[in-house]
């Protein structure tokens, strides 16, 4: 009844298999997928995520644009999302290890600038931290000389810290 039938995204898409998921803050989950072969991206990009044959959909359908939270050097493809009450989020949250999604080639131009003589300042609220995570970890991994300043704001300390040790282990 509601909008959407499954429509493959075509030649510019990849299948990704869920390896793990964990709560990283209150009502916020990180999902770790096996990174598809030839899936290259620049830190800060996003991708379209399609849930394959979801048990339910709503008027927004089974697709969402989601920032890639992993850095390009990391072996897993990580996304993170606040688990709001939508058909998409309920289906994503119910996925089991081995379940698959379809993702598009990465898109977007939010990236670290090339001028190491200028500071890079990131101001992120809530889930906006995901793209910044990718960029900062990539810069550290590549030993870029940039001076990076990150401001992050959350509604509560639990939103910001979540499970501190588990979260730090997953992001560092």
């Amino acid at each position: 009844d509601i909008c959407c039938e499954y429509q493959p995204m075509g030649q510019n898409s990849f299948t990704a298999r869920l390896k793990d998921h964990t709560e990283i803050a209150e009502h916020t989950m990180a999902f770790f997928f096996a990174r598809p072969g030839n899936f290259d991206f620049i830190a800060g990009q996003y991708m379209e995520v399609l849930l394959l044959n979801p048990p339910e959909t709503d008027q927004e359908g089974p697709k969402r644009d989601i920032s890639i939270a992993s850095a390009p050097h990391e072996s897993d493809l990580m996304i993170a999302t606040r688990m709001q009450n939508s058909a998409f989020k309920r289906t994503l949250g119910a996925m089991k290890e081995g379940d698959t999604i379809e993702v598009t080639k990465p898109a977007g131009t939010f990236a670290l600038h090339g001028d190491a003589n200028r500071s890079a300042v990131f101001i992120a609220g809530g889930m906006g931290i995901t793209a910044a995570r990718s960029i900062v970890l990539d810069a550290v991994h590549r030993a870029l000389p940039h001076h990076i300043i990150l401001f992050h704001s959350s509604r509560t300390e639990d939103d910001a810290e979540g499970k501190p040790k588990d979260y730090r282990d997953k992001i560092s």
Side-chain angles (χ1 to χ4, degrees):
D1 301 67
I2 296 179
C3 82
C4 305
E5 300 176 15
Y6 165 69
Q7 301 235 341
M9 293 192 283
Q11 291 181 327
N12 292 327
S13 68
F14 302 84
T15 299
R17 180 183 46 80
L18 182 66
K19 292 175 67 176
D20 192 17
H21 58 81
T22 187
E23 185 176 54
I24 55 173
E26 187 174 7
H27 307 294
T28 305
M29 300 288 295
F31 297 86
F32 301 87
F33 294 88
R35 188 166 163 178
N38 298 321
F39 186 88
D40 297 318
F41 65 97
I42 297 167
Q45 289 189 302
Y46 69 92
M47 62 190 173
E48 188 173 77
V49 173
L50 171 67
L51 300 176
L52 302 175
N53 302 310
E56 63 174 322
T57 59
D58 55 26
Q59 59 216 25
E60 293 183 53
K63 294 180 189 177
R64 298 288 189 283
D65 290 340
I66 299 180
S67 293
I68 302 168
S70 48
H73 69 276
E74 294 180 294
S75 60
D76 290 340
L77 188 58
M78 176 188 171
I79 61 173
T81 187
R82 182 167 294 283
M83 299 306 291
Q84 297 169 336
N85 191 23
S86 71
F88 182 91
K89 302 282 178 88
R90 283 190 299 273
T91 300
L92 184 64
M95 287 180 67
K96 305 287 185 230
E97 183 179 328
D99 288 350
T100 58
I101 59 172
E102 193 170 327
V103 299
T104 60
K105 284 186 177 178
T109 57
F110 182 62
L112 182 62
H113 61 74
D115 184 357
N117 293 316
R118 289 187 315 145
S119 293
V121 179
F122 294 95
I123 301 171
M127 294 310 303
I129 194 67
T130 55
R133 177 199 185 274
S134 178
I135 293 168
V136 170
L137 288 180
D138 182 54
V140 169
H141 176 76
R142 296 192 296 144
L144 296 179
H146 292 68
H147 179 230
I148 298 174
I149 301 165
L150 171 63
F151 294 98
H152 180 245
S153 172
S154 293
R155 286 183 271 178
T156 68
E157 282 187 45
D158 285 342
D159 286 345
E161 294 179 1
K163 298 178 176 179
K165 180 165 178 17
D166 290 346
Y167 183 63
R168 277 190 226 116
D169 289 348
K170 295 290 184 184
I171 65 168
S172 56

